[in-house]
């Protein structure tokens, strides 16, 4: 085993055997990795500050928040029938999703020291929400139908890797610019 793999294994062994902490670490790492992937794919100069902000979002907010949310949701709506799963998805899309999406942009703007912490959320929440519905409704239906609570945040973290790459993409672009680019592509 190489020394870097040994270091990772040793780090993982030191994480407390708490599902909350493990999920927070996993989601924090997922968001940080997504930012690193975006920087690589876009050929940007490495920006460890952006990677750290994504890690903070995942570790401090999204991981623990989702862990708590799924516990509440499972108590409110116990079971795994298709009806229960779809109800959970519906409840999540109407309640927590807008909060998470707004929170993502607002918390990042706070970490970036921006004066107007709400402007980006106002601009991007509706397109983010619409894309989120197309991605998360099928993903969460599978989650609620087949996975026990303790694995839900990890599953969401894996699906979230794809989603976090989209959020990193949205963070970099203005909606008007994206709209113009999509109009150009559709005209070709």
């Amino acid at each position: 085993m190489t020394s870097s793999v040994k270091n990772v294994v040793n780090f993982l062994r030191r994480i407390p055997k708490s599902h909350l902490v493990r999920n927070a670490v996993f989601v924090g790492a997922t968001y940080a990795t997504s930012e690193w992937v975006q920087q690589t794919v876009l050929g940007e100069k490495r920006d460890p500050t952006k990677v750290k902000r994504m890690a903070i979002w995942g570790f401090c907010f999204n991981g623990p928040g989702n862990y708590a949310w799924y516990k509440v949701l499972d108590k409110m709506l116990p079971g795994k029938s298709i009806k229960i799963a779809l109800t959970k998805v519906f409840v999540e899309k109407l309640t927590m999703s807008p909060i998470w999406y707004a929170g993502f942009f607002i918390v990042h703007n706070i970490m970036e020291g921006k004066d107007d912490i709400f402007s980006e959320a106002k601009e991007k929440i509706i397109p983010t929400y619409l894309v989120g519905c197309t991605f998360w409704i099928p993903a969460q239906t599978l989650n609620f139908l087949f996975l026990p609570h303790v694995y839900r945040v990890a599953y969401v973290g894996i699906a979230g890797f794809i989603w976090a790459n989209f959020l990193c993409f949205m963070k970099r672009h203005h909606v008007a610019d994206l709209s113009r680019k999509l109009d150009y592509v559709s005209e070709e």
Side-chain angles (χ1 to χ4, degrees):
M1 196 174 336
T2 67
S3 64
S4 59
V5 172
K6 285 181 185 176
N7 290 340
V8 169
V9 169
N10 288 333
F11 171 76
L12 293 173
R13 286 184 180 146
R14 288 192 296 263
I15 298 173
K17 293 190 184 213
S18 156
H19 290 295
L20 172 64
V21 173
R22 286 183 178 200
N23 282 315
V25 169
F26 181 78
V27 175
T30 299
Y31 271 85
T33 303
S34 295
E35 175 58 34
W36 182 84
V37 166
Q38 285 294 304
Q39 290 176 17
T40 302
V41 168
L42 297 173
E44 294 177 351
K45 184 178 182 238
R46 291 279 179 244
D47 187 344
T49 303
K50 286 183 179 179
V51 174
K52 287 176 193 172
R53 283 194 296 260
M54 282 294 183
I56 290 167
W57 168 254
F59 181 78
C60 296
F61 297 96
N62 196 259
N66 273 337
Y67 183 81
W69 167 241
Y70 294 136
K71 284 183 87 162
V72 168
L73 200 55
D74 284 342
K75 284 182 183 174
M76 284 178 15
L77 299 163
K80 290 187 178 187
S81 71
I82 188 76
K83 181 180 176 184
I84 295 288
L86 290 174
T87 302
K88 287 179 180 180
V89 170
F90 181 73
V91 168
E92 181 171 75
K93 287 285 113 211
L94 292 177
T95 60
M96 290 307 293
S97 292
I99 293 168
W100 283 126
Y101 301 156
F104 174 82
F105 294 114
I106 292 167
V107 167
H108 274 83
N109 287 338
I110 290 168
M111 289 190 285
E112 292 167 4
K114 291 186 177 175
D115 291 331
D116 183 355
I117 62 171
F118 300 107
S119 64
E120 190 173 21
K122 289 176 189 173
E123 175 193 3
K124 296 178 180 179
I125 193 165
I126 291 174
T128 302
Y129 180 80
L130 294 174
V131 173
C133 285
T134 63
F135 179 79
W136 283 112
I137 288 174
Q140 289 295 61
T141 301
L142 295 173
N143 184 14
F144 295 133
L145 272 174
F146 300 113
L147 295 176
H149 170 74
V150 297
Y151 299 116
R152 288 210 173 119
V153 176
Y155 168 82
V156 169
I158 293 166
F161 175 74
I162 297 164
W163 180 247
N165 272 280
F166 171 75
L167 289 176
C168 292
F169 174 82
M170 285 297 286
K171 187 83 179 100
R172 286 174 165 72
H173 296 87
H174 291 282
V175 173
D177 295 339
L178 291 173
S179 180
R180 280 192 296 275
K181 288 176 185 175
L182 289 174
D183 287 342
Y184 176 75
V185 169
S186 67
E187 290 172 0
E188 289 185 345

